[in-house]
Amino acid sequence: AQTVTQSQPEMSVQEAETVTLSCTYDTSESDYYLFWYKQPPSRQMILVIRQEAYKQQNATENRFSVNFQKAAKSFSLKISDSQLGDAAMYFCAYSSGSSNTGKLIFGQGTTLQVKP
Amino acid sequence: KAGVTQTPRYLIKTRGQQVTLSCSPISGHRSVSWYQQTPGQGLQFLFEYFSETQRNKGNFPGRFSGRQFSNSRSEMNVSTLELGDSALYLCASSNRDRVDEKLFFGSGTQLSVL
Protein backbone atom coordinates (compact mmCIF):
# COMPACT_ATOMS: atom_id res chain seq x y z
CA ALA A 1 0.00 0.00 0.00
CA GLN A 2 1.12 3.51 -0.71
CA THR A 3 1.96 5.86 2.14
CA VAL A 4 2.79 9.55 2.39
CA THR A 5 4.75 11.01 5.27
CA GLN A 6 5.20 14.63 6.29
CA SER A 7 7.64 14.78 9.16
CA GLN A 8 7.21 18.46 10.00
CA PRO A 9 3.96 19.12 11.90
CA GLU A 10 4.69 22.85 12.04
CA MET A 11 6.95 25.27 10.24
CA SER A 12 7.36 29.01 10.39
CA VAL A 13 8.91 31.50 8.01
CA GLN A 14 9.48 35.21 7.96
CA GLU A 15 7.53 37.15 5.35
CA ALA A 16 9.50 37.44 2.06
CA GLU A 17 11.78 34.54 3.05
CA THR A 18 11.91 31.03 1.58
CA VAL A 19 10.68 27.88 3.28
CA THR A 20 10.79 24.21 2.29
CA LEU A 21 8.22 21.64 3.36
CA SER A 22 9.23 18.00 3.30
CA CYS A 23 7.35 14.97 2.07
CA THR A 24 8.36 11.38 1.50
CA TYR A 25 6.26 8.61 0.05
CA ASP A 26 6.37 4.91 -0.46
CA THR A 27 5.06 3.07 -3.49
CA SER A 28 5.90 0.16 -5.72
CA GLU A 29 4.20 1.78 -8.69
CA SER A 30 6.15 3.46 -11.45
CA ASP A 31 3.31 5.62 -12.72
CA TYR A 32 1.85 8.08 -10.25
CA TYR A 33 1.19 11.72 -9.48
CA LEU A 34 2.19 13.83 -6.51
CA PHE A 35 0.45 16.93 -5.27
CA TRP A 36 0.72 19.68 -2.74
CA TYR A 37 -2.57 21.04 -1.43
CA LYS A 38 -3.10 24.07 0.74
CA GLN A 39 -5.88 24.23 3.31
CA PRO A 40 -6.46 27.71 4.74
CA PRO A 41 -8.81 28.38 7.68
CA SER A 42 -11.71 28.37 5.21
CA ARG A 43 -11.06 24.58 5.05
CA GLN A 44 -11.24 24.41 1.27
CA MET A 45 -8.40 22.34 -0.18
CA ILE A 46 -6.61 24.24 -2.93
CA LEU A 47 -4.23 22.57 -5.36
CA VAL A 48 -0.84 24.29 -5.19
CA ILE A 49 1.25 22.18 -7.53
CA ARG A 50 1.25 18.82 -9.27
CA GLN A 51 4.08 16.57 -10.42
CA GLU A 52 3.89 13.66 -12.83
CA ALA A 53 6.29 10.90 -11.81
CA TYR A 54 7.41 10.26 -15.37
CA LYS A 55 8.63 13.84 -15.75
CA GLN A 56 12.19 14.54 -14.71
CA GLN A 57 11.65 18.27 -14.59
CA ASN A 58 10.49 19.70 -11.30
CA ALA A 59 7.11 21.43 -11.44
CA THR A 60 6.91 25.16 -10.81
CA GLU A 61 3.93 27.44 -10.23
CA ASN A 62 4.93 31.05 -9.67
CA ARG A 63 6.49 31.22 -6.17
CA PHE A 64 5.95 27.50 -5.58
CA SER A 65 8.32 24.83 -6.79
CA VAL A 66 9.05 21.24 -5.93
CA ASN A 67 12.18 19.16 -5.58
CA PHE A 68 11.15 15.74 -6.86
CA GLN A 69 13.67 13.00 -6.13
CA LYS A 70 12.11 9.85 -7.55
CA ALA A 71 14.78 7.41 -6.44
CA ALA A 72 14.68 8.76 -2.91
CA LYS A 73 10.87 9.00 -3.01
CA SER A 74 11.03 12.56 -1.82
CA PHE A 75 8.81 15.44 -2.86
CA SER A 76 9.48 18.73 -1.11
CA LEU A 77 7.72 22.05 -1.65
CA LYS A 78 9.63 25.30 -1.74
CA ILE A 79 7.78 28.55 -1.21
CA SER A 80 9.75 31.61 -2.23
CA ASP A 81 9.04 35.18 -1.16
CA SER A 82 6.57 33.96 1.46
CA GLN A 83 3.44 36.03 1.91
CA LEU A 84 1.02 36.28 4.82
CA GLY A 85 -1.60 34.61 2.65
CA ASP A 86 0.57 31.51 2.43
CA ALA A 87 -0.21 30.70 6.06
CA ALA A 88 -2.19 27.47 6.00
CA MET A 89 -1.93 23.74 6.43
CA TYR A 90 -0.13 22.06 3.55
CA PHE A 91 -0.76 18.49 2.53
CA CYS A 92 1.32 16.29 0.32
CA ALA A 93 -0.73 13.74 -1.62
CA TYR A 94 -0.25 10.75 -3.90
CA SER A 95 -2.40 9.43 -6.69
CA SER A 96 -1.93 6.25 -8.66
CA GLY A 97 -1.29 6.91 -12.32
CA SER A 98 -2.85 3.68 -13.44
CA SER A 99 -6.33 4.43 -12.26
CA ASN A 100 -8.48 6.72 -10.35
CA THR A 101 -8.03 10.40 -9.91
CA GLY A 102 -10.61 10.49 -7.15
CA LYS A 103 -8.46 8.64 -4.68
CA LEU A 104 -5.71 10.65 -3.09
CA ILE A 105 -3.51 9.43 -0.27
CA PHE A 106 -2.59 12.34 1.97
CA GLY A 107 0.21 12.98 4.42
CA GLN A 108 -0.55 14.26 7.90
CA GLY A 109 -0.01 17.87 6.94
CA THR A 110 2.33 20.69 7.88
CA THR A 111 1.02 23.89 9.44
CA LEU A 112 2.87 26.86 8.02
CA GLN A 113 3.02 30.09 9.98
CA VAL A 114 4.17 33.25 8.20
CA LYS A 115 5.53 35.97 10.46
CA PRO A 116 5.28 39.61 9.41
CA LYS B 1 -18.42 28.87 -12.87
CA ALA B 2 -19.63 27.87 -9.43
CA GLY B 3 -17.32 25.74 -7.33
CA VAL B 4 -18.04 22.57 -5.42
CA THR B 5 -20.89 23.21 -3.00
CA GLN B 6 -21.36 21.21 0.17
CA THR B 7 -24.36 21.48 2.45
CA PRO B 8 -24.81 21.93 5.28
CA ARG B 9 -21.63 23.62 6.52
CA TYR B 10 -22.17 22.48 10.09
CA LEU B 11 -24.17 19.67 11.60
CA ILE B 12 -24.67 18.46 15.15
CA LYS B 13 -26.07 14.99 15.76
CA THR B 14 -26.27 12.57 18.65
CA ARG B 15 -24.97 9.03 18.80
CA GLY B 16 -27.14 6.50 17.05
CA GLN B 17 -28.69 8.98 14.65
CA GLN B 18 -28.05 9.00 10.95
CA VAL B 19 -26.96 11.90 8.76
CA THR B 20 -26.96 12.79 5.08
CA LEU B 21 -24.47 15.21 3.56
CA SER B 22 -24.82 16.74 0.13
CA CYS B 23 -22.31 17.70 -2.52
CA SER B 24 -22.93 19.54 -5.80
CA PRO B 25 -19.95 19.26 -8.14
CA ILE B 26 -18.71 21.82 -10.58
CA SER B 27 -20.96 21.94 -13.63
CA GLY B 28 -19.86 19.34 -16.13
CA HIS B 29 -17.90 17.26 -13.64
CA ARG B 30 -19.03 13.66 -13.47
CA SER B 31 -16.80 12.36 -10.71
CA VAL B 32 -17.38 13.04 -7.03
CA SER B 33 -15.18 11.72 -4.26
CA TRP B 34 -15.54 12.02 -0.49
CA TYR B 35 -12.93 12.37 2.22
CA GLN B 36 -13.04 12.36 6.00
CA GLN B 37 -10.68 14.68 7.85
CA THR B 38 -9.96 14.26 11.57
CA PRO B 39 -7.09 15.55 13.72
CA GLY B 40 -6.06 12.02 14.60
CA GLN B 41 -6.41 10.15 11.31
CA GLY B 42 -5.90 13.03 8.90
CA LEU B 43 -7.51 12.92 5.48
CA GLN B 44 -8.89 9.57 4.45
CA PHE B 45 -10.59 8.56 1.23
CA LEU B 46 -14.16 7.35 1.65
CA PHE B 47 -15.41 6.62 -1.86
CA GLU B 48 -15.70 7.90 -5.40
CA TYR B 49 -18.69 8.00 -7.69
CA PHE B 50 -18.66 8.41 -11.42
CA SER B 51 -21.78 8.48 -13.57
CA GLU B 52 -23.90 7.20 -10.68
CA THR B 53 -21.62 4.20 -10.05
CA GLN B 54 -19.28 3.72 -7.11
CA ARG B 55 -15.82 3.30 -8.58
CA ASN B 56 -13.66 3.18 -5.49
CA LYS B 57 -14.18 2.62 -1.83
CA GLY B 58 -11.89 3.34 1.10
CA ASN B 59 -11.53 1.33 4.26
CA PHE B 60 -14.61 2.46 6.16
CA PRO B 61 -17.41 0.39 7.74
CA GLY B 62 -20.66 -0.23 5.94
CA ARG B 63 -22.32 2.52 7.98
CA PHE B 64 -20.80 4.91 5.48
CA SER B 65 -22.55 4.91 2.14
CA GLY B 66 -23.13 7.22 -0.73
CA ARG B 67 -24.86 7.68 -3.99
CA GLN B 68 -24.75 9.87 -7.03
CA PHE B 69 -27.66 11.20 -9.01
CA SER B 70 -28.03 11.65 -12.75
CA ASN B 71 -27.13 15.35 -12.41
CA SER B 72 -23.84 14.27 -10.72
CA ARG B 73 -24.86 15.60 -7.31
CA SER B 74 -23.81 13.23 -4.59
CA GLU B 75 -24.97 12.42 -1.10
CA MET B 76 -23.12 10.67 1.65
CA ASN B 77 -24.95 8.91 4.45
CA VAL B 78 -23.67 7.77 7.81
CA SER B 79 -25.96 5.56 9.86
CA THR B 80 -25.81 4.77 13.58
CA LEU B 81 -23.47 7.65 14.30
CA GLU B 82 -20.58 7.14 16.69
CA LEU B 83 -18.55 9.76 18.53
CA GLY B 84 -15.59 8.94 16.31
CA ASP B 85 -17.53 10.02 13.23
CA SER B 86 -17.08 13.64 14.27
CA ALA B 87 -15.03 15.08 11.44
CA LEU B 88 -14.84 17.43 8.51
CA TYR B 89 -16.24 15.71 5.45
CA LEU B 90 -14.84 17.01 2.18
CA CYS B 91 -16.19 16.44 -1.26
CA ALA B 92 -14.18 16.84 -4.46
CA SER B 93 -15.18 16.78 -8.11
CA SER B 94 -13.38 16.30 -11.38
CA ASN B 95 -14.05 15.64 -15.02
CA ARG B 96 -12.21 12.33 -14.81
CA ASP B 97 -11.55 12.43 -18.53
CA ARG B 98 -7.83 12.02 -17.95
CA VAL B 99 -6.02 10.17 -15.25
CA ASP B 100 -4.31 13.37 -14.12
CA GLU B 101 -7.47 15.40 -13.99
CA LYS B 102 -7.47 17.96 -11.21
CA LEU B 103 -9.66 17.57 -8.15
CA PHE B 104 -11.60 20.59 -6.94
CA PHE B 105 -12.67 20.53 -3.32
CA GLY B 106 -15.59 22.05 -1.49
CA SER B 107 -15.34 23.73 1.92
CA GLY B 108 -16.66 20.69 3.71
CA THR B 109 -19.34 19.79 6.21
CA GLN B 110 -18.25 19.84 9.85
CA LEU B 111 -20.08 17.03 11.64
CA SER B 112 -20.15 16.91 15.41
CA VAL B 113 -21.53 13.80 17.10
CA LEU B 114 -22.51 14.27 20.75
Side-chain angles (χ1 to χ4, degrees):
Chain A
Q2 296 84 17
T3 59
V4 177
T5 303
Q6 293 177 249
S7 59
Q8 307 154 315
E10 294 179 357
M11 292 281 286
S12 67
V13 63
Q14 208 69 33
E15 195 176 4
E17 296 293 308
T18 296
V19 64
T20 299
L21 308 184
S22 300
C23 172
T24 58
Y25 60 95
D26 190 27
T27 184
S28 59
E29 298 179 321
S30 57
D31 184 19
Y32 52 88
Y33 297 85
L34 296 166
F35 307 83
W36 279 98
Y37 277 89
K38 170 185 175 181
Q39 188 178 41
S42 68
R43 309 178 311 186
Q44 185 176 25
M45 300 283 281
I46 301 165
L47 177 64
V48 174
I49 201 164
R50 177 180 64 198
Q51 174 79 43
E52 293 90 339
Y54 61 86
K55 288 188 176 178
Q56 299 271 8
Q57 189 172 5
N58 290 323
T60 299
E61 287 286 343
N62 301 314
R63 298 182 294 107
F64 299 88
S65 61
V66 298
N67 184 4
F68 174 47
Q69 301 290 326
K70 191 171 184 178
K73 295 180 181 174
S74 170
F75 183 61
S76 61
L77 174 70
K78 185 172 83 170
I79 306 174
S80 304
D81 185 25
S82 296
Q83 300 175 0
L84 295 177
D86 294 334
M89 181 164 274
Y90 286 80
F91 291 94
C92 179
Y94 171 102
S95 174
S96 171
S98 61
S99 56
N100 315 289
T101 59
K103 182 176 181 179
L104 292 173
I105 299 168
F106 286 91
Q108 289 295 315
T110 297
T111 299
L112 178 65
Q113 180 185 23
V114 181
K115 299 177 180 178
Chain B
K1 211 175 195 181
V4 178
T5 304
Q6 291 188 247
T7 56
R9 288 294 302 272
Y10 301 92
L11 208 47
I12 299 175
K13 293 286 187 179
T14 56
R15 278 182 302 173
Q17 287 187 310
Q18 76 165 21
V19 67
T20 299
L21 313 181
S22 179
C23 173
S24 294
I26 290 172
S27 178
H29 285 190
R30 296 182 295 165
S31 170
V32 173
S33 50
W34 289 88
Y35 289 81
Q36 181 196 64
Q37 184 176 16
T38 60
Q41 298 298 315
L43 279 150
Q44 293 184 287
F45 173 78
L46 279 155
F47 30 64
E48 182 202 7
Y49 285 86
F50 179 74
S51 294
E52 303 179 64
T53 302
Q54 187 181 88
R55 289 299 182 94
N56 262 300
K57 190 176 190 306
N59 191 25
F60 278 82
R63 300 185 297 106
F64 291 82
S65 64
R67 59 177 175 169
Q68 187 179 32
F69 302 95
S70 58
N71 62 357
S72 293
R73 189 178 71 85
S74 177
E75 287 183 347
M76 191 193 93
N77 185 75
V78 187
S79 62
T80 320
L81 284 165
E82 300 177 0
L83 296 178
D85 297 333
S86 294
L88 177 67
Y89 290 88
L90 291 165
C91 163
S93 76
S94 74
N95 267 325
R96 213 177 182 277
D97 287 339
R98 302 195 319 266
V99 73
D100 63 341
E101 190 63 52
K102 290 181 183 179
L103 285 182
F104 293 86
F105 283 83
S107 295
T109 293
Q110 183 69 53
L111 172 65
S112 297
V113 182
L114 306 178

Coordinates of all heavy atoms in Angstrom, one line a residue, chain B residues 6-56:
Chain B
Q6 N -21.0 22.2 -0.8 CA -21.4 21.2 0.2 C -22.4 21.8 1.2 O -22.1 22.9 1.7 CB -20.1 20.7 0.9 CG -19.2 19.9 0.1 CD -18.1 19.2 0.9 OE1 -16.9 19.6 0.7 NE2 -18.5 18.3 1.7
T7 N -23.4 21.0 1.5 CA -24.4 21.5 2.4 C -24.7 20.3 3.4 O -24.7 19.2 3.0 CB -25.7 22.0 1.8 OG1 -26.2 20.9 0.9 CG2 -25.4 23.2 1.0
P8 N -25.0 20.6 4.7 CA -24.8 21.9 5.3 C -23.3 22.2 5.6 O -22.5 21.3 5.5 CB -25.7 21.8 6.5 CG -25.5 20.3 6.9 CD -25.5 19.6 5.6
R9 N -23.0 23.3 6.1 CA -21.6 23.6 6.5 C -21.3 23.0 7.9 O -20.2 22.5 8.1 CB -21.4 25.1 6.6 CG -21.3 25.8 5.3 CD -20.1 25.4 4.5 NE -18.8 25.6 5.1 CZ -18.1 26.8 5.1 NH1 -18.6 27.8 4.4 NH2 -17.0 26.9 5.7
Y10 N -22.3 23.0 8.7 CA -22.2 22.5 10.1 C -23.4 21.6 10.4 O -24.5 21.9 10.0 CB -22.0 23.6 11.1 CG -20.9 24.5 10.9 CD1 -21.0 25.7 10.1 CD2 -19.6 24.2 11.4 CE1 -19.9 26.5 9.9 CE2 -18.5 25.1 11.2 CZ -18.7 26.2 10.4 OH -17.7 27.0 10.2
L11 N -23.1 20.6 11.2 CA -24.2 19.7 11.6 C -23.9 19.1 13.0 O -22.7 18.7 13.2 CB -24.2 18.6 10.6 CG -25.5 17.8 10.3 CD1 -26.7 18.7 10.1 CD2 -25.3 17.0 9.0
I12 N -24.8 19.1 13.8 CA -24.7 18.5 15.1 C -25.7 17.3 15.3 O -26.9 17.6 15.1 CB -24.9 19.5 16.3 CG1 -23.8 20.6 16.2 CG2 -24.7 18.8 17.6 CD1 -24.0 21.7 17.2
K13 N -25.2 16.2 15.6 CA -26.1 15.0 15.8 C -25.7 14.3 17.1 O -24.7 14.6 17.7 CB -25.9 14.0 14.6 CG -26.4 14.6 13.2 CD -27.9 14.6 13.2 CE -28.4 14.9 11.8 NZ -29.9 14.9 11.8
T14 N -26.6 13.4 17.5 CA -26.3 12.6 18.6 C -26.0 11.1 18.2 O -26.4 10.7 17.1 CB -27.4 12.6 19.7 OG1 -28.6 12.2 19.0 CG2 -27.6 14.0 20.2
R15 N -25.3 10.4 19.1 CA -25.0 9.0 18.8 C -26.2 8.2 18.4 O -27.3 8.4 19.0 CB -24.3 8.4 20.0 CG -22.8 8.7 20.2 CD -22.2 8.0 21.4 NE -22.9 8.4 22.6 CZ -22.7 7.8 23.8 NH1 -21.8 6.8 23.9 NH2 -23.3 8.2 24.8
G16 N -26.1 7.4 17.5 CA -27.1 6.5 17.1 C -28.0 7.1 15.9 O -28.7 6.3 15.2
Q17 N -27.9 8.4 15.7 CA -28.7 9.0 14.6 C -28.0 8.7 13.3 O -26.9 8.2 13.3 CB -28.8 10.5 14.9 CG -29.8 10.9 16.0 CD -30.0 12.4 16.0 OE1 -29.0 13.2 16.0 NE2 -31.2 12.8 16.0
Q18 N -28.7 9.1 12.3 CA -28.1 9.0 10.9 C -28.0 10.4 10.3 O -28.7 11.3 10.8 CB -28.8 8.0 10.0 CG -30.1 8.6 9.4 CD -30.6 7.7 8.3 OE1 -30.2 6.6 8.1 NE2 -31.4 8.3 7.4
V19 N -27.1 10.6 9.3 CA -27.0 11.9 8.8 C -26.7 11.8 7.3 O -26.2 10.8 6.8 CB -25.8 12.6 9.4 CG1 -24.4 11.9 9.1 CG2 -25.7 14.1 9.0
T20 N -27.2 12.8 6.5 CA -27.0 12.8 5.1 C -26.3 14.1 4.7 O -26.8 15.2 5.1 CB -28.3 12.6 4.3 OG1 -28.9 11.4 4.6 CG2 -28.0 12.7 2.8
L21 N -25.2 14.0 4.0 CA -24.5 15.2 3.6 C -24.6 15.3 2.1 O -24.6 14.3 1.3 CB -23.0 15.1 3.9 CG -22.7 14.7 5.4 CD1 -21.1 14.7 5.6 CD2 -23.3 15.6 6.4
S22 N -24.6 16.5 1.6 CA -24.8 16.7 0.1 C -23.6 17.4 -0.5 O -23.0 18.3 0.1 CB -26.1 17.6 -0.1 OG -26.3 17.8 -1.5
C23 N -23.4 17.1 -1.8 CA -22.3 17.7 -2.5 C -22.8 18.0 -4.0 O -23.2 17.0 -4.7 CB -21.1 16.8 -2.5 SG -19.7 17.3 -3.6
S24 N -22.6 19.2 -4.4 CA -22.9 19.5 -5.8 C -21.6 19.9 -6.5 O -20.9 20.8 -6.1 CB -23.9 20.7 -5.9 OG -25.1 20.4 -5.4
P25 N -21.2 19.0 -7.5 CA -19.9 19.3 -8.1 C -20.0 20.5 -9.1 O -21.0 21.0 -9.3 CB -19.8 18.0 -8.9 CG -21.2 17.5 -9.2 CD -22.0 17.9 -8.1
I26 N -18.8 20.8 -9.6 CA -18.7 21.8 -10.6 C -19.5 21.4 -11.8 O -19.4 20.2 -12.2 CB -17.2 22.1 -10.9 CG1 -16.6 22.8 -9.7 CG2 -17.1 22.9 -12.2 CD1 -15.1 22.9 -9.9
S27 N -20.2 22.3 -12.5 CA -21.0 21.9 -13.6 C -20.1 21.2 -14.7 O -19.0 21.7 -15.0 CB -21.6 23.2 -14.2 OG -22.3 22.9 -15.4
G28 N -20.6 20.1 -15.1 CA -19.9 19.3 -16.1 C -19.0 18.2 -15.6 O -18.6 17.3 -16.3
H29 N -18.7 18.3 -14.3 CA -17.9 17.3 -13.6 C -18.8 16.0 -13.3 O -19.9 16.2 -12.8 CB -17.3 17.8 -12.3 CG -16.1 18.7 -12.6 ND1 -15.3 19.1 -11.6 CD2 -15.6 19.3 -13.7 CE1 -14.4 19.9 -12.1 NE2 -14.6 20.0 -13.4
R30 N -18.3 14.9 -13.7 CA -19.0 13.7 -13.5 C -18.5 12.8 -12.3 O -19.1 11.8 -11.9 CB -19.1 12.8 -14.8 CG -19.8 13.5 -15.9 CD -19.8 12.7 -17.2 NE -18.5 12.5 -17.7 CZ -18.2 11.5 -18.6 NH1 -19.1 10.7 -19.0 NH2 -16.9 11.4 -19.0
S31 N -17.4 13.1 -11.8 CA -16.8 12.4 -10.7 C -16.9 13.1 -9.4 O -16.5 14.3 -9.3 CB -15.3 12.0 -11.0 OG -14.7 11.5 -9.9
V32 N -17.3 12.5 -8.4 CA -17.4 13.0 -7.0 C -16.7 12.1 -6.1 O -17.1 10.9 -6.1 CB -18.8 13.3 -6.6 CG1 -18.8 13.8 -5.1 CG2 -19.5 14.4 -7.5
S33 N -15.8 12.6 -5.3 CA -15.2 11.7 -4.3 C -15.3 12.4 -2.9 O -15.5 13.6 -2.8 CB -13.7 11.5 -4.6 OG -13.0 12.7 -4.9
W34 N -15.3 11.6 -1.9 CA -15.5 12.0 -0.5 C -14.3 11.7 0.4 O -13.8 10.6 0.2 CB -16.8 11.4 0.1 CG -18.1 11.8 -0.5 CD1 -18.7 11.4 -1.6 CD2 -18.9 12.9 0.0 NE1 -19.9 12.0 -1.8 CE2 -20.0 13.0 -0.8 CE3 -18.8 13.8 1.1 CZ2 -21.1 13.9 -0.6 CZ3 -19.8 14.7 1.3 CH2 -20.9 14.7 0.4
Y35 N -14.0 12.6 1.3 CA -12.9 12.4 2.2 C -13.4 12.7 3.6 O -14.2 13.6 3.8 CB -11.7 13.3 1.8 CG -11.0 12.8 0.6 CD1 -11.5 13.2 -0.7 CD2 -9.9 12.0 0.7 CE1 -10.9 12.7 -1.8 CE2 -9.3 11.6 -0.5 CZ -9.8 12.0 -1.7 OH -9.1 11.5 -2.8
Q36 N -12.8 12.0 4.6 CA -13.0 12.4 6.0 C -11.8 12.9 6.6 O -10.7 12.4 6.3 CB -13.4 11.1 6.8 CG -13.7 11.4 8.3 CD -13.7 10.1 9.1 OE1 -12.6 9.4 9.2 NE2 -14.8 9.8 9.7
Q37 N -11.9 14.1 7.3 CA -10.7 14.7 7.9 C -10.9 14.8 9.4 O -11.8 15.4 9.8 CB -10.4 16.1 7.3 CG -9.1 16.7 7.8 CD -8.8 18.0 7.1 OE1 -9.7 18.7 6.5 NE2 -7.6 18.5 7.2
T38 N -10.0 14.2 10.1 CA -10.0 14.3 11.6 C -8.6 14.6 12.0 O -7.6 14.3 11.3 CB -10.4 12.9 12.2 OG1 -9.4 11.9 11.8 CG2 -11.8 12.5 11.8
P39 N -8.4 15.2 13.2 CA -7.1 15.6 13.7 C -6.2 14.3 13.9 O -5.0 14.4 13.7 CB -7.4 16.2 15.1 CG -8.8 16.8 14.9 CD -9.5 15.8 14.1
G40 N -6.8 13.2 14.3 CA -6.1 12.0 14.6 C -5.7 11.2 13.4 O -4.6 10.7 13.2
Q41 N -6.6 11.0 12.5 CA -6.4 10.1 11.3 C -6.1 10.9 10.0 O -5.7 10.3 9.0 CB -7.7 9.3 11.0 CG -8.0 8.4 12.2 CD -6.9 7.3 12.4 OE1 -6.4 6.8 11.5 NE2 -6.6 7.1 13.7
G42 N -6.2 12.2 10.1 CA -5.9 13.0 8.9 C -7.0 12.9 7.9 O -8.2 12.7 8.2
L43 N -6.6 13.0 6.6 CA -7.5 12.9 5.5 C -7.6 11.5 4.9 O -6.5 10.9 4.5 CB -7.1 13.9 4.4 CG -7.4 15.3 4.5 CD1 -6.4 16.2 3.9 CD2 -8.8 15.6 3.9
Q44 N -8.7 10.9 4.9 CA -8.9 9.6 4.5 C -10.0 9.5 3.4 O -11.1 10.1 3.5 CB -9.2 8.6 5.6 CG -8.1 8.5 6.6 CD -8.5 7.5 7.7 OE1 -9.3 7.8 8.6 NE2 -7.9 6.3 7.6
F45 N -9.7 8.7 2.4 CA -10.6 8.6 1.2 C -11.7 7.7 1.6 O -11.6 6.6 2.2 CB -9.8 7.9 0.1 CG -10.6 7.5 -1.1 CD1 -11.1 8.5 -2.0 CD2 -11.0 6.2 -1.3 CE1 -11.9 8.1 -3.1 CE2 -11.7 5.8 -2.4 CZ -12.2 6.8 -3.3
L46 N -13.0 8.1 1.3 CA -14.2 7.4 1.6 C -14.6 6.6 0.4 O -14.7 5.4 0.5 CB -15.3 8.3 2.1 CG -15.2 8.7 3.6 CD1 -15.9 10.0 3.8 CD2 -15.8 7.6 4.5
F47 N -15.0 7.3 -0.6 CA -15.4 6.6 -1.9 C -15.5 7.6 -3.0 O -15.4 8.8 -2.8 CB -16.8 5.9 -1.7 CG -17.7 6.5 -0.7 CD1 -18.3 7.7 -0.9 CD2 -18.1 5.7 0.3 CE1 -19.1 8.3 0.0 CE2 -19.0 6.2 1.3 CZ -19.5 7.5 1.1
E48 N -15.6 7.1 -4.2 CA -15.7 7.9 -5.4 C -16.9 7.4 -6.2 O -17.1 6.2 -6.4 CB -14.4 7.8 -6.2 CG -14.5 8.7 -7.5 CD -13.6 8.4 -8.6 OE1 -12.9 7.3 -8.5 OE2 -13.5 9.1 -9.6
Y49 N -17.6 8.3 -6.8 CA -18.7 8.0 -7.7 C -18.5 8.6 -9.0 O -18.0 9.8 -9.1 CB -20.0 8.5 -7.1 CG -20.5 7.6 -6.0 CD1 -20.1 7.8 -4.7 CD2 -21.3 6.5 -6.2 CE1 -20.5 7.0 -3.7 CE2 -21.8 5.7 -5.2 CZ -21.3 6.0 -3.9 OH -21.7 5.1 -2.9
F50 N -18.8 7.9 -10.1 CA -18.7 8.4 -11.4 C -19.9 7.9 -12.2 O -20.1 6.7 -12.3 CB -17.4 7.9 -12.1 CG -17.2 8.4 -13.5 CD1 -16.9 9.7 -13.8 CD2 -17.3 7.5 -14.5 CE1 -16.7 10.1 -15.1 CE2 -17.2 7.9 -15.8 CZ -16.8 9.2 -16.1
S51 N -20.6 8.8 -12.8 CA -21.8 8.5 -13.6 C -22.7 7.5 -12.8 O -23.1 6.5 -13.3 CB -21.4 7.9 -14.9 OG -20.7 8.8 -15.7
E52 N -23.0 7.9 -11.6 CA -23.9 7.2 -10.7 C -23.4 5.8 -10.2 O -24.2 5.1 -9.5 CB -25.3 7.0 -11.4 CG -25.9 8.4 -11.8 CD -27.2 8.2 -12.5 OE1 -28.2 7.7 -11.9 OE2 -27.3 8.5 -13.7
T53 N -22.2 5.5 -10.5 CA -21.6 4.2 -10.1 C -20.5 4.4 -9.1 O -19.6 5.3 -9.3 CB -21.1 3.4 -11.3 OG1 -22.2 3.2 -12.2 CG2 -20.6 2.1 -10.8
Q54 N -20.4 3.6 -8.0 CA -19.3 3.7 -7.1 C -18.1 3.1 -7.8 O -18.1 1.9 -8.1 CB -19.6 3.0 -5.8 CG -18.5 3.2 -4.7 CD -18.9 2.5 -3.4 OE1 -18.5 1.4 -3.2 NE2 -19.5 3.3 -2.5
R55 N -17.0 3.8 -7.9 CA -15.8 3.3 -8.6 C -14.7 2.9 -7.6 O -13.9 2.0 -7.9 CB -15.2 4.4 -9.5 CG -16.1 4.7 -10.7 CD -16.3 3.4 -11.6 NE -17.0 3.7 -12.8 CZ -16.5 4.0 -14.0 NH1 -15.2 4.1 -14.1 NH2 -17.3 4.2 -15.0
N56 N -14.7 3.5 -6.5 CA -13.7 3.2 -5.5 C -14.2 3.3 -4.1 O -15.1 4.1 -3.9 CB -12.5 4.2 -5.6 CG -11.4 3.7 -6.4 OD1 -10.8 2.7 -6.1 ND2 -11.1 4.5 -7.5

